[in-house]
């Protein structure tokens, strides 16, 4: 069910970082194989090098747990994982093929666009284990669906179908399972043909707007426009409009 291991988490974080810095990468798709998208964190084992659980590093010196260890491992693990998606400088699409539970659900919700196959489900599983949501769940969900609905999902831990998630506003589109990969590729190709730097700045503006006041948001918007107008794609967009032709964006 694709529970996230330590090594897998670090690999995904690294790939998202590489995508941000590679001009040849114009869009990213996060998806999975098998019955599940991601069943949450794999707490049973550590990295291949040994000694650490998926949630982070052990206490220094190998002693028992001390106050601050859990908070540190959450910051370095689950929060860093979700932050890598939010901070990726390319559009990120989640193609959810099956169950997305716990941090697996938050991984999908952190993406810029979410496609879900009809059999997919989303579960805030933490309460079933007596745990507080991690991986940014209490940050993401209220911003997507409001605090009351977020609390309902987190308090009860009920499975939410793909159709229900679409109605709530957690998912952009629900498609038959056999069309998920095709639709994700079509969306990624559309994004890859777009003005990548403008999309990056738009993503940053929208994400930041939920945490800032109007003055800060307007200031950030003006700065983003200043930066974007120095790009080749902005010049191409204006030129194609004047010349009445389809723009050819390079992502630069």
């Amino acid at each position: 069910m694709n529970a996230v291991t330590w090594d897998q988490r670090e690999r995904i974080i690294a790939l998202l970082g590489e995508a941000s810095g590679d001009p040849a990468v114009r869009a990213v798709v996060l998806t999975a194989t098998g019955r599940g998208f991601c069943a949450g964190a794999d707490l049973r084992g550590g990295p291949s090098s040994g000694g650490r659980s998926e949630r982070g590093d052990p206490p220094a010196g190998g002693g028992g747990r001390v106050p601050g260890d859990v908070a540190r491992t959450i910051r370095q693990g689950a929060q860093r994982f979700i932050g890598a998606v939010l901070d990726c400088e390319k559009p990120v699409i989640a193609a959810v093929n099956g169950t997305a539970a716990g941090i697996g659900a938050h991984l999908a919700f952190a993406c810029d666009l979410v496609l879900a196959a009809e059999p997919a489900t989303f579960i805030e599983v933490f309460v079933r284990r007596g745990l507080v949501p991690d991986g940014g769940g209490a940050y993401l969900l209220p911003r997507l669906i409001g605090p009351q609905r977020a609390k309902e999902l987190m308090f009860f831990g009920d499975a939410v179908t793909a159709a229900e998630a679409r109605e709530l506003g957690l998912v952009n589109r629900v498609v038959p399972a056999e069309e998920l990969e095709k639709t994700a590729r079509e969306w990624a190709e559309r994004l890859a043909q777009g003005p990548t730097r403008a999309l990056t700045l738009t993503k940053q503006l929208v994400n930041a707007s939920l945490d800032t006041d109007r003055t800060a948001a307007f200031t950030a918007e003006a700065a983003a426009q200043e930066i974007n107008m120095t790009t080749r794609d902005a010049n191409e967009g204006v030129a194609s409009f004047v010349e009445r032709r389809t723009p050819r964006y390079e992502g630069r």
Side-chain angles (χ1 to χ4, degrees), residues 78-111:
Q79 291 178 353
R80 197 167 127 263
F81 185 41
I82 299 305
V85 180
L86 293 169
D87 295 337
C88 182
E89 295 182 23
K90 305 296 166 65
V92 183
I93 300 169
V96 183
N97 56 300
T99 299
I103 197 169
H106 300 167
L107 179 63
F109 300 153
C111 293

PDB file of all heavy atoms in Angstrom, residues 78-111:
ATOM      1  N   ALA A  78       8.139  14.305   8.622  1.00  0.00           N
ATOM      2  CA  ALA A  78       6.855  14.513   7.955  1.00  0.00           C
ATOM      3  C   ALA A  78       6.689  15.937   7.438  1.00  0.00           C
ATOM      4  O   ALA A  78       6.234  16.156   6.314  1.00  0.00           O
ATOM      5  CB  ALA A  78       5.712  14.161   8.910  1.00  0.00           C
ATOM      6  N   GLN A  79       7.064  16.918   8.259  1.00  0.00           N
ATOM      7  CA  GLN A  79       6.878  18.311   7.840  1.00  0.00           C
ATOM      8  C   GLN A  79       7.813  18.671   6.691  1.00  0.00           C
ATOM      9  O   GLN A  79       7.417  19.391   5.759  1.00  0.00           O
ATOM     10  CB  GLN A  79       7.077  19.243   9.031  1.00  0.00           C
ATOM     11  CG  GLN A  79       5.976  19.117  10.068  1.00  0.00           C
ATOM     12  CD  GLN A  79       6.205  20.001  11.284  1.00  0.00           C
ATOM     13  OE1 GLN A  79       7.267  20.629  11.438  1.00  0.00           O
ATOM     14  NE2 GLN A  79       5.228  20.052  12.157  1.00  0.00           N
ATOM     15  N   ARG A  80       9.035  18.190   6.736  1.00  0.00           N
ATOM     16  CA  ARG A  80       9.975  18.449   5.650  1.00  0.00           C
ATOM     17  C   ARG A  80       9.499  17.797   4.356  1.00  0.00           C
ATOM     18  O   ARG A  80       9.656  18.346   3.260  1.00  0.00           O
ATOM     19  CB  ARG A  80      11.347  17.903   6.057  1.00  0.00           C
ATOM     20  CG  ARG A  80      12.497  18.443   5.246  1.00  0.00           C
ATOM     21  CD  ARG A  80      13.826  18.112   5.916  1.00  0.00           C
ATOM     22  NE  ARG A  80      14.677  17.449   4.971  1.00  0.00           N
ATOM     23  CZ  ARG A  80      14.828  16.134   4.880  1.00  0.00           C
ATOM     24  NH1 ARG A  80      14.203  15.330   5.696  1.00  0.00           N
ATOM     25  NH2 ARG A  80      15.616  15.622   3.969  1.00  0.00           N
ATOM     26  N   PHE A  81       8.890  16.636   4.475  1.00  0.00           N
ATOM     27  CA  PHE A  81       8.360  15.899   3.331  1.00  0.00           C
ATOM     28  C   PHE A  81       7.259  16.693   2.633  1.00  0.00           C
ATOM     29  O   PHE A  81       7.303  16.932   1.423  1.00  0.00           O
ATOM     30  CB  PHE A  81       7.831  14.560   3.843  1.00  0.00           C
ATOM     31  CG  PHE A  81       7.357  13.604   2.790  1.00  0.00           C
ATOM     32  CD1 PHE A  81       8.037  13.434   1.597  1.00  0.00           C
ATOM     33  CD2 PHE A  81       6.234  12.823   3.018  1.00  0.00           C
ATOM     34  CE1 PHE A  81       7.609  12.528   0.643  1.00  0.00           C
ATOM     35  CE2 PHE A  81       5.791  11.912   2.083  1.00  0.00           C
ATOM     36  CZ  PHE A  81       6.476  11.768   0.887  1.00  0.00           C
ATOM     37  N   ILE A  82       6.278  17.147   3.397  1.00  0.00           N
ATOM     38  CA  ILE A  82       5.168  17.919   2.824  1.00  0.00           C
ATOM     39  C   ILE A  82       5.655  19.278   2.344  1.00  0.00           C
ATOM     40  O   ILE A  82       5.226  19.775   1.294  1.00  0.00           O
ATOM     41  CB  ILE A  82       4.042  18.070   3.859  1.00  0.00           C
ATOM     42  CG1 ILE A  82       3.492  16.699   4.262  1.00  0.00           C
ATOM     43  CG2 ILE A  82       2.929  18.954   3.308  1.00  0.00           C
ATOM     44  CD1 ILE A  82       3.005  15.841   3.115  1.00  0.00           C
ATOM     45  N   GLY A  83       6.572  19.887   3.086  1.00  0.00           N
ATOM     46  CA  GLY A  83       7.129  21.174   2.670  1.00  0.00           C
ATOM     47  C   GLY A  83       7.827  21.096   1.326  1.00  0.00           C
ATOM     48  O   GLY A  83       7.806  22.061   0.551  1.00  0.00           O
ATOM     49  N   ALA A  84       8.427  19.956   1.026  1.00  0.00           N
ATOM     50  CA  ALA A  84       9.112  19.804  -0.262  1.00  0.00           C
ATOM     51  C   ALA A  84       8.142  19.894  -1.426  1.00  0.00           C
ATOM     52  O   ALA A  84       8.488  20.392  -2.499  1.00  0.00           O
ATOM     53  CB  ALA A  84       9.858  18.468  -0.299  1.00  0.00           C
ATOM     54  N   VAL A  85       6.916  19.418  -1.226  1.00  0.00           N
ATOM     55  CA  VAL A  85       5.892  19.523  -2.264  1.00  0.00           C
ATOM     56  C   VAL A  85       5.426  20.971  -2.396  1.00  0.00           C
ATOM     57  O   VAL A  85       5.340  21.522  -3.500  1.00  0.00           O
ATOM     58  CB  VAL A  85       4.698  18.609  -1.951  1.00  0.00           C
ATOM     59  CG1 VAL A  85       3.629  18.729  -3.037  1.00  0.00           C
ATOM     60  CG2 VAL A  85       5.152  17.163  -1.814  1.00  0.00           C
ATOM     61  N   LEU A  86       5.119  21.585  -1.259  1.00  0.00           N
ATOM     62  CA  LEU A  86       4.628  22.965  -1.276  1.00  0.00           C
ATOM     63  C   LEU A  86       5.666  23.927  -1.846  1.00  0.00           C
ATOM     64  O   LEU A  86       5.316  24.905  -2.510  1.00  0.00           O
ATOM     65  CB  LEU A  86       4.253  23.393   0.146  1.00  0.00           C
ATOM     66  CG  LEU A  86       3.057  22.680   0.776  1.00  0.00           C
ATOM     67  CD1 LEU A  86       2.977  23.002   2.268  1.00  0.00           C
ATOM     68  CD2 LEU A  86       1.762  23.069   0.088  1.00  0.00           C
ATOM     69  N   ASP A  87       6.949  23.641  -1.601  1.00  0.00           N
ATOM     70  CA  ASP A  87       8.014  24.548  -2.016  1.00  0.00           C
ATOM     71  C   ASP A  87       8.592  24.215  -3.384  1.00  0.00           C
ATOM     72  O   ASP A  87       9.428  24.974  -3.890  1.00  0.00           O
ATOM     73  CB  ASP A  87       9.145  24.533  -0.983  1.00  0.00           C
ATOM     74  CG  ASP A  87       8.708  25.087   0.365  1.00  0.00           C
ATOM     75  OD1 ASP A  87       7.735  25.860   0.402  1.00  0.00           O
ATOM     76  OD2 ASP A  87       9.336  24.734   1.381  1.00  0.00           O
ATOM     77  N   CYS A  88       8.184  23.105  -3.974  1.00  0.00           N
ATOM     78  CA  CYS A  88       8.701  22.760  -5.301  1.00  0.00           C
ATOM     79  C   CYS A  88       8.375  23.874  -6.285  1.00  0.00           C
ATOM     80  O   CYS A  88       7.248  24.362  -6.342  1.00  0.00           O
ATOM     81  CB  CYS A  88       8.089  21.441  -5.782  1.00  0.00           C
ATOM     82  SG  CYS A  88       8.711  20.906  -7.399  1.00  0.00           S
ATOM     83  N   GLU A  89       9.350  24.279  -7.063  1.00  0.00           N
ATOM     84  CA  GLU A  89       9.189  25.415  -7.962  1.00  0.00           C
ATOM     85  C   GLU A  89       8.563  25.038  -9.304  1.00  0.00           C
ATOM     86  O   GLU A  89       8.590  25.842 -10.247  1.00  0.00           O
ATOM     87  CB  GLU A  89      10.538  26.100  -8.172  1.00  0.00           C
ATOM     88  CG  GLU A  89      11.083  26.719  -6.889  1.00  0.00           C
ATOM     89  CD  GLU A  89      12.396  27.438  -7.101  1.00  0.00           C
ATOM     90  OE1 GLU A  89      12.680  27.852  -8.247  1.00  0.00           O
ATOM     91  OE2 GLU A  89      13.141  27.590  -6.115  1.00  0.00           O
ATOM     92  N   LYS A  90       7.999  23.865  -9.382  1.00  0.00           N
ATOM     93  CA  LYS A  90       7.277  23.436 -10.574  1.00  0.00           C
ATOM     94  C   LYS A  90       5.878  22.991 -10.144  1.00  0.00           C
ATOM     95  O   LYS A  90       5.678  22.580  -8.997  1.00  0.00           O
ATOM     96  CB  LYS A  90       8.007  22.274 -11.277  1.00  0.00           C
ATOM     97  CG  LYS A  90       9.461  22.581 -11.629  1.00  0.00           C
ATOM     98  CD  LYS A  90       9.596  23.709 -12.632  1.00  0.00           C
ATOM     99  CE  LYS A  90      11.024  24.230 -12.728  1.00  0.00           C
ATOM    100  NZ  LYS A  90      11.989  23.263 -13.252  1.00  0.00           N
ATOM    101  N   PRO A  91       4.895  23.063 -11.040  1.00  0.00           N
ATOM    102  CA  PRO A  91       3.560  22.572 -10.695  1.00  0.00           C
ATOM    103  C   PRO A  91       3.612  21.077 -10.373  1.00  0.00           C
ATOM    104  O   PRO A  91       4.247  20.308 -11.097  1.00  0.00           O
ATOM    105  CB  PRO A  91       2.735  22.837 -11.950  1.00  0.00           C
ATOM    106  CG  PRO A  91       3.518  23.833 -12.741  1.00  0.00           C
ATOM    107  CD  PRO A  91       4.951  23.591 -12.417  1.00  0.00           C
ATOM    108  N   VAL A  92       2.949  20.685  -9.295  1.00  0.00           N
ATOM    109  CA  VAL A  92       2.947  19.278  -8.870  1.00  0.00           C
ATOM    110  C   VAL A  92       1.513  18.752  -8.909  1.00  0.00           C
ATOM    111  O   VAL A  92       0.615  19.323  -8.289  1.00  0.00           O
ATOM    112  CB  VAL A  92       3.524  19.115  -7.457  1.00  0.00           C
ATOM    113  CG1 VAL A  92       3.567  17.631  -7.071  1.00  0.00           C
ATOM    114  CG2 VAL A  92       4.922  19.729  -7.351  1.00  0.00           C
ATOM    115  N   ILE A  93       1.319  17.663  -9.647  1.00  0.00           N
ATOM    116  CA  ILE A  93       0.017  17.007  -9.762  1.00  0.00           C
ATOM    117  C   ILE A  93       0.039  15.723  -8.951  1.00  0.00           C
ATOM    118  O   ILE A  93       0.971  14.923  -9.074  1.00  0.00           O
ATOM    119  CB  ILE A  93      -0.304  16.656 -11.225  1.00  0.00           C
ATOM    120  CG1 ILE A  93      -0.339  17.919 -12.098  1.00  0.00           C
ATOM    121  CG2 ILE A  93      -1.618  15.892 -11.340  1.00  0.00           C
ATOM    122  CD1 ILE A  93      -0.397  17.613 -13.589  1.00  0.00           C
ATOM    123  N   ALA A  94      -0.981  15.515  -8.124  1.00  0.00           N
ATOM    124  CA  ALA A  94      -1.164  14.227  -7.466  1.00  0.00           C
ATOM    125  C   ALA A  94      -2.143  13.410  -8.293  1.00  0.00           C
ATOM    126  O   ALA A  94      -3.234  13.877  -8.606  1.00  0.00           O
ATOM    127  CB  ALA A  94      -1.696  14.406  -6.053  1.00  0.00           C
ATOM    128  N   ALA A  95      -1.746  12.197  -8.658  1.00  0.00           N
ATOM    129  CA  ALA A  95      -2.632  11.262  -9.346  1.00  0.00           C
ATOM    130  C   ALA A  95      -2.892  10.121  -8.369  1.00  0.00           C
ATOM    131  O   ALA A  95      -2.089   9.192  -8.252  1.00  0.00           O
ATOM    132  CB  ALA A  95      -2.004  10.758 -10.640  1.00  0.00           C
ATOM    133  N   VAL A  96      -4.002  10.214  -7.644  1.00  0.00           N
ATOM    134  CA  VAL A  96      -4.279   9.309  -6.527  1.00  0.00           C
ATOM    135  C   VAL A  96      -5.020   8.082  -7.047  1.00  0.00           C
ATOM    136  O   VAL A  96      -6.183   8.167  -7.421  1.00  0.00           O
ATOM    137  CB  VAL A  96      -5.095  10.027  -5.433  1.00  0.00           C
ATOM    138  CG1 VAL A  96      -5.307   9.100  -4.239  1.00  0.00           C
ATOM    139  CG2 VAL A  96      -4.382  11.315  -4.994  1.00  0.00           C
ATOM    140  N   ASN A  97      -4.331   6.958  -7.040  1.00  0.00           N
ATOM    141  CA  ASN A  97      -4.873   5.743  -7.639  1.00  0.00           C
ATOM    142  C   ASN A  97      -5.666   4.884  -6.657  1.00  0.00           C
ATOM    143  O   ASN A  97      -6.470   4.045  -7.071  1.00  0.00           O
ATOM    144  CB  ASN A  97      -3.739   4.901  -8.218  1.00  0.00           C
ATOM    145  CG  ASN A  97      -2.688   4.570  -7.172  1.00  0.00           C
ATOM    146  OD1 ASN A  97      -2.087   5.473  -6.597  1.00  0.00           O
ATOM    147  ND2 ASN A  97      -2.457   3.294  -6.921  1.00  0.00           N
ATOM    148  N   GLY A  98      -5.440   5.069  -5.356  1.00  0.00           N
ATOM    149  CA  GLY A  98      -6.104   4.226  -4.360  1.00  0.00           C
ATOM    150  C   GLY A  98      -6.152   4.923  -3.021  1.00  0.00           C
ATOM    151  O   GLY A  98      -6.255   6.148  -2.955  1.00  0.00           O
ATOM    152  N   THR A  99      -6.030   4.165  -1.949  1.00  0.00           N
ATOM    153  CA  THR A  99      -6.132   4.737  -0.614  1.00  0.00           C
ATOM    154  C   THR A  99      -4.992   5.709  -0.332  1.00  0.00           C
ATOM    155  O   THR A  99      -3.822   5.400  -0.563  1.00  0.00           O
ATOM    156  CB  THR A  99      -6.111   3.616   0.445  1.00  0.00           C
ATOM    157  OG1 THR A  99      -7.234   2.763   0.232  1.00  0.00           O
ATOM    158  CG2 THR A  99      -6.177   4.197   1.846  1.00  0.00           C
ATOM    159  N   ALA A 100      -5.351   6.884   0.180  1.00  0.00           N
ATOM    160  CA  ALA A 100      -4.380   7.876   0.648  1.00  0.00           C
ATOM    161  C   ALA A 100      -4.718   8.146   2.105  1.00  0.00           C
ATOM    162  O   ALA A 100      -5.723   8.791   2.409  1.00  0.00           O
ATOM    163  CB  ALA A 100      -4.469   9.153  -0.177  1.00  0.00           C
ATOM    164  N   ALA A 101      -3.910   7.617   3.009  1.00  0.00           N
ATOM    165  CA  ALA A 101      -4.211   7.691   4.435  1.00  0.00           C
ATOM    166  C   ALA A 101      -3.102   8.411   5.183  1.00  0.00           C
ATOM    167  O   ALA A 101      -1.924   8.309   4.819  1.00  0.00           O
ATOM    168  CB  ALA A 101      -4.384   6.284   5.016  1.00  0.00           C
ATOM    169  N   GLY A 102      -3.481   9.133   6.228  1.00  0.00           N
ATOM    170  CA  GLY A 102      -2.489   9.809   7.051  1.00  0.00           C
ATOM    171  C   GLY A 102      -1.649  10.773   6.242  1.00  0.00           C
ATOM    172  O   GLY A 102      -2.155  11.605   5.490  1.00  0.00           O
ATOM    173  N   ILE A 103      -0.339  10.625   6.361  1.00  0.00           N
ATOM    174  CA  ILE A 103       0.541  11.521   5.611  1.00  0.00           C
ATOM    175  C   ILE A 103       0.403  11.300   4.106  1.00  0.00           C
ATOM    176  O   ILE A 103       0.720  12.187   3.308  1.00  0.00           O
ATOM    177  CB  ILE A 103       2.008  11.365   6.053  1.00  0.00           C
ATOM    178  CG1 ILE A 103       2.833  12.576   5.586  1.00  0.00           C
ATOM    179  CG2 ILE A 103       2.608  10.060   5.550  1.00  0.00           C
ATOM    180  CD1 ILE A 103       4.211  12.644   6.176  1.00  0.00           C
ATOM    181  N   GLY A 104      -0.117  10.141   3.704  1.00  0.00           N
ATOM    182  CA  GLY A 104      -0.386   9.922   2.285  1.00  0.00           C
ATOM    183  C   GLY A 104      -1.462  10.849   1.771  1.00  0.00           C
ATOM    184  O   GLY A 104      -1.388  11.364   0.645  1.00  0.00           O
ATOM    185  N   ALA A 105      -2.496  11.086   2.597  1.00  0.00           N
ATOM    186  CA  ALA A 105      -3.533  12.051   2.229  1.00  0.00           C
ATOM    187  C   ALA A 105      -2.957  13.453   2.182  1.00  0.00           C
ATOM    188  O   ALA A 105      -3.239  14.226   1.257  1.00  0.00           O
ATOM    189  CB  ALA A 105      -4.691  11.982   3.218  1.00  0.00           C
ATOM    190  N   HIS A 106      -2.129  13.791   3.161  1.00  0.00           N
ATOM    191  CA  HIS A 106      -1.546  15.132   3.197  1.00  0.00           C
ATOM    192  C   HIS A 106      -0.591  15.352   2.033  1.00  0.00           C
ATOM    193  O   HIS A 106      -0.467  16.472   1.527  1.00  0.00           O
ATOM    194  CB  HIS A 106      -0.835  15.351   4.531  1.00  0.00           C
ATOM    195  CG  HIS A 106      -1.750  15.237   5.703  1.00  0.00           C
ATOM    196  ND1 HIS A 106      -1.302  15.137   7.003  1.00  0.00           N
ATOM    197  CD2 HIS A 106      -3.117  15.195   5.778  1.00  0.00           C
ATOM    198  CE1 HIS A 106      -2.346  15.029   7.822  1.00  0.00           C
ATOM    199  NE2 HIS A 106      -3.445  15.065   7.094  1.00  0.00           N
ATOM    200  N   LEU A 107       0.086  14.291   1.611  1.00  0.00           N
ATOM    201  CA  LEU A 107       0.956  14.384   0.440  1.00  0.00           C
ATOM    202  C   LEU A 107       0.144  14.787  -0.782  1.00  0.00           C
ATOM    203  O   LEU A 107       0.568  15.644  -1.569  1.00  0.00           O
ATOM    204  CB  LEU A 107       1.634  13.034   0.205  1.00  0.00           C
ATOM    205  CG  LEU A 107       2.567  12.926  -0.998  1.00  0.00           C
ATOM    206  CD1 LEU A 107       3.754  13.859  -0.849  1.00  0.00           C
ATOM    207  CD2 LEU A 107       3.041  11.482  -1.174  1.00  0.00           C
ATOM    208  N   ALA A 108      -1.035  14.196  -0.940  1.00  0.00           N
ATOM    209  CA  ALA A 108      -1.899  14.558  -2.075  1.00  0.00           C
ATOM    210  C   ALA A 108      -2.418  15.982  -1.932  1.00  0.00           C
ATOM    211  O   ALA A 108      -2.391  16.765  -2.891  1.00  0.00           O
ATOM    212  CB  ALA A 108      -3.065  13.573  -2.173  1.00  0.00           C
ATOM    213  N   PHE A 109      -2.880  16.343  -0.724  1.00  0.00           N
ATOM    214  CA  PHE A 109      -3.486  17.661  -0.521  1.00  0.00           C
ATOM    215  C   PHE A 109      -2.472  18.792  -0.673  1.00  0.00           C
ATOM    216  O   PHE A 109      -2.855  19.929  -0.952  1.00  0.00           O
ATOM    217  CB  PHE A 109      -4.131  17.740   0.861  1.00  0.00           C
ATOM    218  CG  PHE A 109      -5.230  16.731   1.094  1.00  0.00           C
ATOM    219  CD1 PHE A 109      -5.528  16.285   2.374  1.00  0.00           C
ATOM    220  CD2 PHE A 109      -5.966  16.221   0.043  1.00  0.00           C
ATOM    221  CE1 PHE A 109      -6.530  15.352   2.600  1.00  0.00           C
ATOM    222  CE2 PHE A 109      -6.975  15.282   0.242  1.00  0.00           C
ATOM    223  CZ  PHE A 109      -7.255  14.852   1.534  1.00  0.00           C
ATOM    224  N   ALA A 110      -1.192  18.493  -0.485  1.00  0.00           N
ATOM    225  CA  ALA A 110      -0.154  19.518  -0.637  1.00  0.00           C
ATOM    226  C   ALA A 110       0.136  19.831  -2.097  1.00  0.00           C
ATOM    227  O   ALA A 110       0.739  20.869  -2.403  1.00  0.00           O
ATOM    228  CB  ALA A 110       1.133  19.072   0.054  1.00  0.00           C
ATOM    229  N   CYS A 111      -0.288  18.938  -3.000  1.00  0.00           N
ATOM    230  CA  CYS A 111      -0.014  19.155  -4.422  1.00  0.00           C
ATOM    231  C   CYS A 111      -0.868  20.288  -4.974  1.00  0.00           C
ATOM    232  O   CYS A 111      -1.910  20.639  -4.420  1.00  0.00           O
ATOM    233  CB  CYS A 111      -0.261  17.859  -5.197  1.00  0.00           C
ATOM    234  SG  CYS A 111       0.911  16.541  -4.799  1.00  0.00           S
TER     235      CYS A 111
END
